[in-house]
Amino acid sequence: MAVPGDPPNGTPDGTAGGDDEFRSDEYGSVVFDEDFVRAARLQEYSAQERMGEHARAVRSRSMWSGSAPRTSTPGRAARQGMLLVLLIATAFSVAVYMGLRNPYVPPPGGPAQPLTSTVVPLAPTTAVPGGLPPELFAQSPAADYRVGAAGISLPAVRRTHHFTDVQVVTALSIAKDYLVQSSLDPDVLAGSAVRPVRVLLDPDQLEQFDRSMTSPAGDGRHAATGWLVRFDPAAAVMADPRVRVSGSLTYEEVAQDVLEVTTDHTFVYAVRPATGAPAAADGASLFTVRRELRLRFDRDDLSARRLELASAYVMAGPQDCSADPAGGFRPLLAGAGPTTVGPAASDPYAGGHPRRTAGLCGVLAPAATPGASVSPVP
């Protein structure tokens, strides 16, 4: 007798029979009808889908490893591209920021060159007038000059190609300080001090300056009077501390990192014989010094408030042409007569560039009378 679940035609040949053996098949009781089989859909998943999203058989290589990964999805490639663009933009922004914070500064102009100086004594053609200082000034071309540092005025300032207006003003103010210390300081004029001038010089020039002070010589490099104005204390002293001054300052950029200031000033001093020498109350006389200086500045000089004195052309009188003015001026005082005549007349009061004499001595042009005009000597 057949049992439920047996095949209709019995057990196929070649298979083990028996109720227990058939039931050992776990799918023995499952029956699929024809409609179910026809409606079934077969779907084969890809290897990546079968392994799951995070179970990759081959590990993708880094974008920095030198070669592209073997497989890359469009989304991953887009993310890598965005990352690369972001890194480039960040690097560019950092470069711009560092450039703004640390602008390129040209290197300094190199070591300072030695000073070249020319000091020309001016001999009088008439007797040296004497009198009280106020009267002498009033009767001289210096009657309208200002007193002291007030006579050293700064020009209008505009920036140059490589120097700002602030740097130009700094250079001009240092130049003025140098003129004040080297031409107006009472101790410097008396020959008892040099430090006020020395501290304003470029360190590369200090050795030359020191030698000029201790062993002055008229060799164009080591004249003390090329650096500053001072009187031989054995010859004359100041009769009036109020020095009359007039002149001008100009500037120009001579190199990308060098600014040059040119000063052209006339200083008029009232002097008298040195202490101990006989002198009358009205025994003062005037002594005139014309100084044309070229001062150079690089950015280090501007920061340190110092300068390089490149050249100095100095005319001073009345002096005897036989005297050596390198160590200090020896004025011809009130009542002194004319001395050796130089090769050409020179007017230290004349405007424009001073006339440079070919020899070692010039002639002091006669002082103008009050109200008379002073014109350059042709």
Short mmCIF file of all heavy atoms in Angstrom, two decimals, residues 259-317:
data_model
loop_
_atom_site.label_atom_id
_atom_site.label_comp_id
_atom_site.label_asym_id
_atom_site.label_seq_id
_atom_site.Cartn_x
_atom_site.Cartn_y
_atom_site.Cartn_z
N LEU A 259 70.02 105.55 -2.16
CA LEU A 259 69.47 106.89 -2.26
C LEU A 259 70.59 107.88 -1.95
O LEU A 259 71.34 107.69 -0.99
CB LEU A 259 68.33 107.06 -1.26
CG LEU A 259 67.47 108.32 -1.37
CD1 LEU A 259 66.67 108.29 -2.67
CD2 LEU A 259 66.52 108.42 -0.18
N GLU A 260 70.71 108.91 -2.77
CA GLU A 260 71.79 109.89 -2.59
C GLU A 260 71.21 111.26 -2.29
O GLU A 260 70.29 111.73 -2.97
CB GLU A 260 72.66 109.95 -3.85
CG GLU A 260 73.87 110.87 -3.73
CD GLU A 260 74.79 110.78 -4.93
OE1 GLU A 260 75.59 109.82 -4.99
OE2 GLU A 260 74.69 111.64 -5.81
N VAL A 261 71.75 111.91 -1.27
CA VAL A 261 71.35 113.26 -0.88
C VAL A 261 72.55 114.18 -1.09
O VAL A 261 73.65 113.88 -0.63
CB VAL A 261 70.88 113.31 0.58
CG1 VAL A 261 70.59 114.76 1.00
CG2 VAL A 261 69.65 112.44 0.78
N THR A 262 72.32 115.29 -1.77
CA THR A 262 73.36 116.29 -1.98
C THR A 262 73.02 117.53 -1.16
O THR A 262 71.91 118.05 -1.25
CB THR A 262 73.48 116.67 -3.47
OG1 THR A 262 73.80 115.51 -4.23
CG2 THR A 262 74.56 117.72 -3.68
N THR A 263 73.98 117.97 -0.34
CA THR A 263 73.79 119.18 0.46
C THR A 263 74.74 120.26 -0.05
O THR A 263 75.88 119.98 -0.41
CB THR A 263 74.09 118.91 1.95
OG1 THR A 263 75.50 118.78 2.14
CG2 THR A 263 73.42 117.61 2.40
N ASP A 264 74.25 121.48 -0.09
CA ASP A 264 75.04 122.62 -0.54
C ASP A 264 74.69 123.81 0.35
O ASP A 264 73.64 124.44 0.17
CB ASP A 264 74.74 122.93 -2.01
CG ASP A 264 75.64 124.02 -2.57
OD1 ASP A 264 76.54 124.48 -1.85
OD2 ASP A 264 75.43 124.42 -3.73
N HIS A 265 75.57 124.07 1.35
CA HIS A 265 75.26 125.10 2.34
C HIS A 265 76.47 126.00 2.59
O HIS A 265 77.62 125.56 2.51
CB HIS A 265 74.84 124.46 3.67
CG HIS A 265 73.49 123.81 3.61
ND1 HIS A 265 73.30 122.56 3.08
CD2 HIS A 265 72.26 124.25 4.03
CE1 HIS A 265 72.02 122.24 3.16
NE2 HIS A 265 71.37 123.25 3.73
N THR A 266 76.14 127.25 2.90
CA THR A 266 77.15 128.23 3.30
C THR A 266 76.95 128.54 4.78
O THR A 266 75.83 128.87 5.20
CB THR A 266 77.02 129.52 2.47
OG1 THR A 266 77.26 129.22 1.10
CG2 THR A 266 78.03 130.57 2.93
N PHE A 267 78.03 128.40 5.54
CA PHE A 267 78.01 128.67 6.98
C PHE A 267 78.91 129.88 7.25
O PHE A 267 80.07 129.92 6.79
CB PHE A 267 78.53 127.46 7.76
CG PHE A 267 77.74 126.20 7.54
CD1 PHE A 267 78.04 125.36 6.47
CD2 PHE A 267 76.70 125.85 8.38
CE1 PHE A 267 77.32 124.19 6.25
CE2 PHE A 267 75.97 124.69 8.16
CZ PHE A 267 76.28 123.85 7.10
N VAL A 268 78.40 130.83 7.99
CA VAL A 268 79.15 132.04 8.29
C VAL A 268 79.34 132.13 9.81
O VAL A 268 78.34 132.17 10.55
CB VAL A 268 78.45 133.30 7.75
CG1 VAL A 268 79.34 134.53 7.98
CG2 VAL A 268 78.14 133.14 6.27
N TYR A 269 80.60 132.15 10.25
CA TYR A 269 80.95 132.16 11.66
C TYR A 269 81.58 133.49 12.04
O TYR A 269 82.33 134.09 11.27
CB TYR A 269 81.95 131.04 11.96
CG TYR A 269 81.53 129.66 11.50
CD1 TYR A 269 81.81 129.22 10.19
CD2 TYR A 269 80.86 128.80 12.35
CE1 TYR A 269 81.42 127.96 9.77
CE2 TYR A 269 80.47 127.53 11.93
CZ TYR A 269 80.76 127.12 10.62
OH TYR A 269 80.38 125.87 10.20
N ALA A 270 81.27 133.94 13.25
CA ALA A 270 81.98 135.09 13.82
C ALA A 270 83.08 134.55 14.73
O ALA A 270 82.80 133.79 15.66
CB ALA A 270 81.02 135.97 14.61
N VAL A 271 84.32 134.87 14.44
CA VAL A 271 85.46 134.34 15.19
C VAL A 271 86.29 135.50 15.73
O VAL A 271 86.20 136.65 15.28
CB VAL A 271 86.32 133.43 14.29
CG1 VAL A 271 85.53 132.21 13.84
CG2 VAL A 271 86.85 134.19 13.08
N ARG A 272 87.14 135.15 16.67
CA ARG A 272 88.08 136.11 17.27
C ARG A 272 89.36 135.37 17.62
O ARG A 272 89.40 134.13 17.58
CB ARG A 272 87.46 136.75 18.51
CG ARG A 272 87.09 135.76 19.62
CD ARG A 272 86.56 136.45 20.85
NE ARG A 272 86.15 135.52 21.89
CZ ARG A 272 86.97 134.92 22.74
NH1 ARG A 272 88.29 135.13 22.65
NH2 ARG A 272 86.52 134.08 23.66
N PRO A 273 90.39 136.09 17.99
CA PRO A 273 91.64 135.42 18.35
C PRO A 273 91.44 134.45 19.51
O PRO A 273 90.53 134.61 20.34
CB PRO A 273 92.56 136.58 18.72
CG PRO A 273 92.01 137.74 18.00
CD PRO A 273 90.53 137.54 17.96
N ALA A 274 92.27 133.43 19.57
CA ALA A 274 92.18 132.43 20.61
C ALA A 274 92.37 133.04 21.99
O ALA A 274 92.94 134.13 22.14
CB ALA A 274 93.21 131.34 20.37
N THR A 275 91.89 132.36 22.98
CA THR A 275 91.99 132.83 24.36
C THR A 275 93.46 133.08 24.71
O THR A 275 94.33 132.25 24.44
CB THR A 275 91.39 131.79 25.33
OG1 THR A 275 90.04 131.53 24.95
CG2 THR A 275 91.45 132.28 26.76
N GLY A 276 93.71 134.24 25.32
CA GLY A 276 95.07 134.59 25.69
C GLY A 276 95.71 135.53 24.71
O GLY A 276 96.67 136.23 25.05
N ALA A 277 95.20 135.56 23.49
CA ALA A 277 95.73 136.49 22.49
C ALA A 277 95.07 137.84 22.67
O ALA A 277 93.88 137.92 23.01
CB ALA A 277 95.50 135.95 21.08
N PRO A 278 95.79 138.92 22.46
CA PRO A 278 95.20 140.25 22.62
C PRO A 278 94.10 140.48 21.59
O PRO A 278 94.23 140.15 20.43
CB PRO A 278 96.38 141.20 22.40
CG PRO A 278 97.35 140.40 21.61
CD PRO A 278 97.19 138.98 22.05
N ALA A 279 92.99 141.03 22.03
CA ALA A 279 91.87 141.29 21.13
C ALA A 279 91.05 142.42 21.69
O ALA A 279 90.81 142.50 22.90
CB ALA A 279 91.01 140.04 20.98
N ALA A 280 90.60 143.29 20.82
CA ALA A 280 89.74 144.40 21.22
C ALA A 280 88.30 143.92 21.28
O ALA A 280 87.95 142.84 20.80
CB ALA A 280 89.87 145.54 20.21
N ALA A 281 87.45 144.74 21.88
CA ALA A 281 86.03 144.37 22.01
C ALA A 281 85.38 144.20 20.66
O ALA A 281 84.42 143.45 20.51
CB ALA A 281 85.30 145.42 22.84
N ASP A 282 85.88 144.96 19.70
CA ASP A 282 85.30 144.87 18.36
C ASP A 282 86.21 144.10 17.42
O ASP A 282 86.21 144.30 16.21
CB ASP A 282 85.03 146.26 17.79
CG ASP A 282 86.31 147.09 17.70
OD1 ASP A 282 87.35 146.64 18.23
OD2 ASP A 282 86.27 148.17 17.08
N GLY A 283 86.98 143.19 17.97
CA GLY A 283 87.97 142.49 17.17
C GLY A 283 87.48 141.22 16.50
O GLY A 283 88.29 140.41 16.04
N ALA A 284 86.19 141.02 16.41
CA ALA A 284 85.66 139.83 15.73
C ALA A 284 85.71 140.01 14.23
O ALA A 284 85.77 141.13 13.71
CB ALA A 284 84.24 139.55 16.19
N SER A 285 85.68 138.90 13.52
CA SER A 285 85.63 138.91 12.06
C SER A 285 84.81 137.72 11.60
O SER A 285 84.52 136.81 12.38
CB SER A 285 87.03 138.87 11.45
OG SER A 285 87.72 137.69 11.86
N LEU A 286 84.46 137.74 10.35
CA LEU A 286 83.65 136.65 9.80
C LEU A 286 84.51 135.64 9.07
O LEU A 286 85.50 135.99 8.42
CB LEU A 286 82.58 137.20 8.85
CG LEU A 286 81.57 138.17 9.44
CD1 LEU A 286 80.52 138.55 8.39
CD2 LEU A 286 80.90 137.60 10.68
N PHE A 287 84.09 134.39 9.19
CA PHE A 287 84.77 133.31 8.47
C PHE A 287 83.68 132.49 7.78
O PHE A 287 82.71 132.07 8.41
CB PHE A 287 85.57 132.43 9.43
CG PHE A 287 86.43 131.40 8.73
CD1 PHE A 287 87.67 131.74 8.20
CD2 PHE A 287 86.00 130.09 8.60
CE1 PHE A 287 88.45 130.80 7.56
CE2 PHE A 287 86.77 129.14 7.96
CZ PHE A 287 88.01 129.50 7.43
N THR A 288 83.84 132.27 6.48
CA THR A 288 82.81 131.64 5.67
C THR A 288 83.26 130.28 5.16
O THR A 288 84.38 130.14 4.66
CB THR A 288 82.44 132.53 4.47
OG1 THR A 288 82.05 133.82 4.96
CG2 THR A 288 81.29 131.93 3.69
N VAL A 289 82.39 129.29 5.29
CA VAL A 289 82.67 127.93 4.82
C VAL A 289 81.53 127.49 3.91
O VAL A 289 80.36 127.50 4.31
CB VAL A 289 82.83 126.94 5.98
CG1 VAL A 289 83.09 125.53 5.45
CG2 VAL A 289 83.92 127.36 6.93
N ARG A 290 81.88 127.12 2.70
CA ARG A 290 80.91 126.56 1.74
C ARG A 290 81.17 125.06 1.64
O ARG A 290 82.26 124.61 1.29
CB ARG A 290 81.09 127.23 0.38
CG ARG A 290 80.20 126.67 -0.74
CD ARG A 290 78.80 127.24 -0.69
NE ARG A 290 77.99 126.80 -1.82
CZ ARG A 290 77.86 127.48 -2.96
NH1 ARG A 290 78.51 128.62 -3.14
NH2 ARG A 290 77.07 127.03 -3.92
N ARG A 291 80.15 124.26 1.96
CA ARG A 291 80.28 122.80 1.95
C ARG A 291 79.28 122.19 0.97
O ARG A 291 78.08 122.42 1.07
CB ARG A 291 80.02 122.20 3.34
CG ARG A 291 80.87 122.73 4.46
CD ARG A 291 80.54 122.04 5.77
NE ARG A 291 81.09 120.69 5.82
CZ ARG A 291 80.71 119.76 6.71
NH1 ARG A 291 79.74 120.03 7.57
NH2 ARG A 291 81.28 118.57 6.71
N GLU A 292 79.79 121.41 0.03
CA GLU A 292 78.94 120.62 -0.86
C GLU A 292 79.26 119.15 -0.60
O GLU A 292 80.37 118.69 -0.88
CB GLU A 292 79.19 120.97 -2.32
CG GLU A 292 78.25 120.20 -3.26
CD GLU A 292 78.51 120.49 -4.72
OE1 GLU A 292 79.61 120.98 -5.04
OE2 GLU A 292 77.62 120.23 -5.55
N LEU A 293 78.29 118.43 -0.06
CA LEU A 293 78.49 117.04 0.35
C LEU A 293 77.56 116.12 -0.44
O LEU A 293 76.43 116.49 -0.76
CB LEU A 293 78.22 116.86 1.84
CG LEU A 293 78.89 117.84 2.81
CD1 LEU A 293 78.46 117.54 4.24
CD2 LEU A 293 80.41 117.78 2.68
N ARG A 294 78.04 114.92 -0.71
CA ARG A 294 77.20 113.85 -1.28
C ARG A 294 77.10 112.74 -0.25
O ARG A 294 78.11 112.14 0.12
CB ARG A 294 77.78 113.33 -2.59
CG ARG A 294 77.56 114.24 -3.77
CD ARG A 294 77.81 113.54 -5.11
NE ARG A 294 79.10 112.88 -5.16
CZ ARG A 294 79.27 111.56 -5.22
NH1 ARG A 294 78.22 110.74 -5.23
NH2 ARG A 294 80.48 111.04 -5.28
N LEU A 295 75.89 112.48 0.19
CA LEU A 295 75.63 111.47 1.20
C LEU A 295 74.85 110.33 0.57
O LEU A 295 73.89 110.57 -0.17
CB LEU A 295 74.83 112.08 2.36
CG LEU A 295 75.32 113.44 2.87
CD1 LEU A 295 74.35 113.97 3.92
CD2 LEU A 295 76.71 113.33 3.44
N ARG A 296 75.22 109.11 0.90
CA ARG A 296 74.55 107.95 0.31
C ARG A 296 73.93 107.09 1.40
O ARG A 296 74.49 106.94 2.49
CB ARG A 296 75.53 107.12 -0.54
CG ARG A 296 76.29 107.95 -1.56
CD ARG A 296 77.07 107.09 -2.52
NE ARG A 296 76.20 106.53 -3.54
CZ ARG A 296 76.61 105.69 -4.50
NH1 ARG A 296 77.88 105.30 -4.53
NH2 ARG A 296 75.78 105.25 -5.40
N PHE A 297 72.78 106.48 1.06
CA PHE A 297 72.03 105.68 2.02
C PHE A 297 71.54 104.40 1.35
O PHE A 297 70.97 104.46 0.26
CB PHE A 297 70.80 106.44 2.53
CG PHE A 297 71.09 107.76 3.18
CD1 PHE A 297 71.23 108.91 2.41
CD2 PHE A 297 71.25 107.86 4.55
CE1 PHE A 297 71.49 110.13 2.99
CE2 PHE A 297 71.52 109.08 5.15
CZ PHE A 297 71.64 110.22 4.37
N ASP A 298 71.78 103.27 1.99
CA ASP A 298 71.07 102.05 1.61
C ASP A 298 70.04 101.77 2.70
O ASP A 298 69.90 102.53 3.66
CB ASP A 298 72.01 100.86 1.39
CG ASP A 298 72.84 100.52 2.63
OD1 ASP A 298 72.37 100.80 3.75
OD2 ASP A 298 73.95 99.97 2.47
N ARG A 299 69.29 100.69 2.57
CA ARG A 299 68.21 100.43 3.51
C ARG A 299 68.73 100.14 4.92
O ARG A 299 68.07 100.48 5.90
CB ARG A 299 67.33 99.29 2.99
CG ARG A 299 66.48 99.73 1.80
CD ARG A 299 65.70 98.60 1.19
NE ARG A 299 64.77 99.09 0.17
CZ ARG A 299 65.12 99.41 -1.07
NH1 ARG A 299 66.39 99.30 -1.44
NH2 ARG A 299 64.23 99.86 -1.93
N ASP A 300 69.89 99.52 5.03
CA ASP A 300 70.47 99.30 6.35
C ASP A 300 70.83 100.63 7.01
O ASP A 300 70.65 100.81 8.22
CB ASP A 300 71.72 98.42 6.24
CG ASP A 300 71.37 96.97 5.95
OD1 ASP A 300 70.20 96.59 6.15
OD2 ASP A 300 72.26 96.22 5.50
N ASP A 301 71.36 101.58 6.23
CA ASP A 301 71.70 102.89 6.77
C ASP A 301 70.46 103.61 7.27
O ASP A 301 70.48 104.24 8.34
CB ASP A 301 72.39 103.75 5.70
CG ASP A 301 73.77 103.22 5.31
OD1 ASP A 301 74.42 102.60 6.17
OD2 ASP A 301 74.17 103.41 4.16
N LEU A 302 69.37 103.52 6.52
CA LEU A 302 68.14 104.19 6.94
C LEU A 302 67.61 103.59 8.23
O LEU A 302 67.14 104.31 9.11
CB LEU A 302 67.09 104.08 5.84
CG LEU A 302 67.41 104.81 4.52
CD1 LEU A 302 66.33 104.53 3.49
CD2 LEU A 302 67.57 106.30 4.73
N SER A 303 67.69 102.27 8.36
CA SER A 303 67.21 101.63 9.58
C SER A 303 68.07 101.99 10.78
O SER A 303 67.56 102.17 11.90
CB SER A 303 67.20 100.10 9.40
OG SER A 303 66.34 99.73 8.34
N ALA A 304 69.38 102.12 10.57
CA ALA A 304 70.31 102.42 11.67
C ALA A 304 70.55 103.91 11.86
O ALA A 304 71.30 104.29 12.74
CB ALA A 304 71.65 101.71 11.41
N ARG A 305 69.92 104.75 11.03
CA ARG A 305 70.10 106.21 11.06
C ARG A 305 71.58 106.58 10.97
O ARG A 305 72.15 107.20 11.86
CB ARG A 305 69.47 106.82 12.32
CG ARG A 305 67.95 106.76 12.32
CD ARG A 305 67.36 107.71 13.34
NE ARG A 305 67.68 109.11 13.03
CZ ARG A 305 67.01 109.87 12.17
NH1 ARG A 305 65.99 109.35 11.50
NH2 ARG A 305 67.36 111.12 11.96
N ARG A 306 72.17 106.17 9.87
CA ARG A 306 73.57 106.50 9.60
C ARG A 306 73.70 106.79 8.12
O ARG A 306 72.73 106.65 7.36
CB ARG A 306 74.48 105.33 10.00
CG ARG A 306 74.27 104.10 9.13
CD ARG A 306 74.93 102.87 9.69
NE ARG A 306 74.82 101.74 8.77
CZ ARG A 306 74.90 100.48 9.12
NH1 ARG A 306 75.10 100.15 10.39
NH2 ARG A 306 74.80 99.51 8.21
N LEU A 307 74.90 107.18 7.70
CA LEU A 307 75.10 107.57 6.31
C LEU A 307 76.50 107.22 5.85
O LEU A 307 77.39 106.94 6.67
CB LEU A 307 74.84 109.07 6.13
CG LEU A 307 75.69 110.03 6.97
CD1 LEU A 307 76.99 110.41 6.29
CD2 LEU A 307 74.90 111.29 7.32
N GLU A 308 76.68 107.27 4.54
CA GLU A 308 78.00 107.14 3.93
C GLU A 308 78.32 108.48 3.28
O GLU A 308 77.58 108.96 2.42
CB GLU A 308 77.99 106.04 2.87
CG GLU A 308 79.26 105.97 2.04
CD GLU A 308 79.11 105.08 0.82
OE1 GLU A 308 78.15 104.28 0.80
OE2 GLU A 308 79.93 105.20 -0.10
N LEU A 309 79.40 109.10 3.73
CA LEU A 309 79.83 110.37 3.13
C LEU A 309 80.69 110.04 1.92
O LEU A 309 81.82 109.58 2.05
CB LEU A 309 80.61 111.21 4.15
CG LEU A 309 81.07 112.59 3.67
CD1 LEU A 309 79.90 113.42 3.18
CD2 LEU A 309 81.82 113.32 4.79
N ALA A 310 80.13 110.24 0.73
CA ALA A 310 80.81 109.83 -0.50
C ALA A 310 81.84 110.86 -0.94
O ALA A 310 82.96 110.50 -1.36
CB ALA A 310 79.79 109.59 -1.61
N SER A 311 81.50 112.15 -0.88
CA SER A 311 82.44 113.18 -1.33
C SER A 311 82.13 114.48 -0.60
O SER A 311 81.01 114.72 -0.15
CB SER A 311 82.36 113.38 -2.85
OG SER A 311 81.12 113.96 -3.21
N ALA A 312 83.16 115.32 -0.53
CA ALA A 312 83.03 116.63 0.10
C ALA A 312 83.88 117.63 -0.66
O ALA A 312 85.07 117.36 -0.92
CB ALA A 312 83.46 116.58 1.57
N TYR A 313 83.26 118.74 -1.05
CA TYR A 313 84.00 119.85 -1.67
C TYR A 313 83.79 121.06 -0.78
O TYR A 313 82.65 121.50 -0.56
CB TYR A 313 83.52 120.13 -3.08
CG TYR A 313 84.35 121.17 -3.80
CD1 TYR A 313 85.54 120.81 -4.44
CD2 TYR A 313 83.96 122.50 -3.81
CE1 TYR A 313 86.32 121.76 -5.08
CE2 TYR A 313 84.73 123.46 -4.46
CZ TYR A 313 85.91 123.08 -5.08
OH TYR A 313 86.69 124.02 -5.71
N VAL A 314 84.89 121.59 -0.23
CA VAL A 314 84.82 122.63 0.79
C VAL A 314 85.66 123.82 0.35
O VAL A 314 86.82 123.66 -0.05
CB VAL A 314 85.31 122.09 2.15
CG1 VAL A 314 85.20 123.18 3.23
CG2 VAL A 314 84.54 120.84 2.56
N MET A 315 85.08 125.02 0.47
CA MET A 315 85.80 126.28 0.30
C MET A 315 85.67 127.06 1.59
O MET A 315 84.57 127.16 2.14
CB MET A 315 85.25 127.09 -0.87
CG MET A 315 85.31 126.40 -2.22
SD MET A 315 84.80 127.50 -3.58
CE MET A 315 83.13 127.92 -3.10
N ALA A 316 86.78 127.62 2.09
CA ALA A 316 86.74 128.32 3.37
C ALA A 316 87.71 129.48 3.37
O ALA A 316 88.85 129.36 2.90
CB ALA A 316 87.05 127.35 4.50
N GLY A 317 87.28 130.61 3.91
CA GLY A 317 88.15 131.78 4.00
C GLY A 317 87.52 132.88 4.83
O GLY A 317 86.34 132.79 5.20
#
